[in-house]
Amino acid sequence: MTSTTKKVRDPRLDFFRGLGMFIIFVAHTPMNPLTKWIPARFGFSDATEIFVFCSGMASAIAFGAVFDRHGWLIGAARVAHRVWQVYWAQIVVFFVIAGLVAYLDSLAFAERSFVDGLNLARFFEDPATNLLGLLTLTYVPNYFDILPMYIVILAMMPLVMALAHFSPRAAIVGCLLLWAAVSQPWIAVLDVPVFQGLNLPAEPWSERTWFFNPFAWQLIFFTGFAFMRGWIPAPPVRRELVWLSIAVVIAAFFLHHRFVLDNVPALQEARNAIAALTTKTYFGLFRFVHFLALAYLAFVAAGVAGRNLPSTGWKGQGVEIVKMVGQQSLAVFLTGLVIARLAGVAFVIGGTGPLMVLLVNAAGFAILILVARMTAWFKSQPWKRRPETANALSASPRRPSDMTAPSVQVAVSS
């Protein structure tokens, strides 16, 4: 019997993934004025990169250890089990939201159609065809496109781990080559359209493909995965790297805004190239560079093992709440998709005045926090805990033979 040391979860991972959950809720809420202040308005990358990168890091902890302890076959089985869970989460959340918006339209209290707002009219017009598309993930409306991307990337993990068995460098190069084949960042300079051959169908009635191409977005997932696995060393904290990252963030801010491209003659000719290099569907090169710069600044600001994150007082309590939300990201994400629709309804009814904006977003955040807390409670399996005291009313008298010393449970790590 051997003993192994359990890897401590990095608090920075949970904290920044929790922040991403709040930002995604804001971004998904129709008519929400706070969307003017989300990261996507200030640069190329946004909360999607945070979610995927941190998911890669979390997967390295959750699944990488299984590959290490039990081998490739059991590790692949563990990943398949997670893919199965996320697949059914995708199906269920679609039907919940589809039913919700259909019911809201039946009330006819607003001039707008909530079904059309999610572009689901075709689904209700031809449910036989589109139900099959939904179950096979060949019907993926834009609002429901993150989890399918995540499913495909998770399915790629056993392949990446197989490459890493020979060399971590082989796994890294393989991910880079796949991204390059799909995104082809250099072709923007040559004025060649972005290659769209390697993607998946999103609608049975058209040639539209997935908004998030998983074969391109796997790069940022496995970047986080590689950092957590130790395939890529943590970057050094150096002043010149900090200033370089700041320069990248500032440059991205100006290039991101149309008024700069429209008023600087030299940039007008490069507009198409910049657009191709910042494409969200194919995870353009500039998005990757911008995110890495932001991630490095966050890495430096948080400190080693997150020691700069507040741990006491009201700030410390706030950090703990955000971390809790990050730890339960799947349940929180699914809940956020649903309540974002209801928050949009609240804005339709009550307007978008300052008080209404505060109340709706605060209520949404509170629900996400409550869901995170409830999910953590259920995962702790409280029904398996030994009760501290027996219920005197329901307990039966103990026979003398029962008066033995209580058994002692010993936790042994293998």
Side-chain angles (χ1 to χ4, degrees), residues 28-49:
H28 280 163
T29 302
M31 301 174 60
N32 194 345
L34 291 188
T35 55
K36 298 177 181 178
W37 304 100
I38 61 177
R41 303 294 177 262
F42 299 93
F44 303 132
S45 63
D46 54 32
T48 309
E49 278 83 357

Side-chain angles (χ1 to χ4, degrees), residues 80-412:
H81 179 254
R82 186 58 170 174
V83 167
W84 183 249
Q85 290 176 321
V86 178
Y87 169 80
W88 284 111
Q90 165 75 6
I91 301 302
V92 170
V93 78
F94 175 86
F95 280 115
V96 169
I97 295 176
L100 174 64
V101 294
Y103 174 72
L104 291 172
D105 277 4
S106 70
L107 298 178
F109 64 86
E111 296 180 357
R112 60 185 296 173
S113 169
F114 295 101
V115 169
D116 291 341
L118 284 179
N119 196 25
L120 298 182
R122 283 289 192 100
F123 175 80
F124 289 102
E125 292 171 0
D126 186 11
T129 300
N130 294 316
L131 275 172
L132 179 61
L134 177 70
L135 295 175
T136 58
L137 299 183
T138 55
Y139 173 57
V140 181
N142 282 347
Y143 190 70
F144 305 91
D145 45 19
I146 292 183
L147 290 184
M149 170 190 66
Y150 185 45
I151 288 172
V152 174
I153 294 176
L154 282 176
M156 294 174 59
M157 193 186 306
L159 300 178
V160 172
M161 291 299 292
L163 287 174
H165 177 74
F166 298 99
S167 169
R169 183 176 298 178
I172 295 171
V173 171
C175 293
L176 282 169
L177 290 177
L178 179 59
W179 168 77
V182 175
S183 184
Q184 298 191 49
W186 60 85
I187 64 176
V189 181
L190 302 177
D191 194 25
V192 178
V194 175
F195 178 69
Q196 298 186 14
L198 189 57
N199 203 343
L200 300 171
E203 292 175 344
W205 63 84
S206 76
E207 296 181 356
R208 185 176 73 84
T209 55
W210 286 15
F211 182 75
F212 293 106
N213 185 317
F215 307 111
W217 277 83
Q218 54 80 26
L219 178 64
I220 191 167
F221 178 92
F222 287 113
T223 298
F225 190 91
F227 272 119
M228 191 58 69
R229 291 287 294 171
W231 299 348
I232 301 175
V237 179
R238 294 178 181 171
R239 181 174 300 177
E240 56 269 26
L241 290 179
V242 171
W243 283 112
L244 176 61
S245 298
I246 293 174
V248 169
V249 171
I250 294 174
F253 171 77
F254 284 104
L255 290 176
H256 179 67
H257 289 81
R258 299 293 303 179
F259 71 87
V260 177
L261 297 178
D262 293 338
N263 294 296
V264 179
L267 293 178
Q268 291 181 9
E269 298 179 0
R271 181 184 301 165
N272 292 337
I274 293 174
L277 290 167
T278 60
T279 172
K280 191 167 188 177
T281 295
Y282 296 94
F283 192 54
L285 177 63
F286 282 5
R287 296 186 70 91
F288 190 37
V289 173
H290 179 249
F291 175 79
L292 290 179
L294 284 176
Y296 180 74
L297 294 176
F299 168 76
V300 173
V304 178
R307 65 185 179 188
N308 293 338
L309 296 175
S311 57
T312 59
W314 66 270
K315 291 182 179 180
Q317 294 177 352
V319 168
E320 289 302 316
I321 290 174
V322 175
K323 286 166 55 180
M324 178 182 63
V325 170
Q327 290 168 357
Q328 312 301 334
S329 59
L330 180 59
V332 171
F333 175 77
L334 296 173
T335 303
L337 289 179
V338 177
I339 64 173
R341 294 293 102 189
L342 296 175
V345 174
F347 285 135
V348 170
I349 298 174
T352 56
L355 180 59
M356 193 66 181
V357 171
L358 175 63
L359 292 175
V360 170
N361 283 283
F365 290 172
I367 293 173
L368 298 184
I369 294 168
L370 178 61
V371 167
R373 189 175 297 278
M374 290 177 59
T375 304
W377 184 79
F378 278 111
K379 286 184 176 180
S380 70
Q381 297 183 332
W383 47 85
K384 290 187 177 182
R385 300 174 190 167
R386 180 186 296 275
E388 296 294 332
T389 58
N391 189 332
L393 295 178
S394 60
S396 58
R398 304 177 72 183
R399 300 189 304 271
S401 59
D402 295 329
M403 302 301 180
T404 57
S407 61
V408 179
Q409 294 182 343
V410 180
V412 180

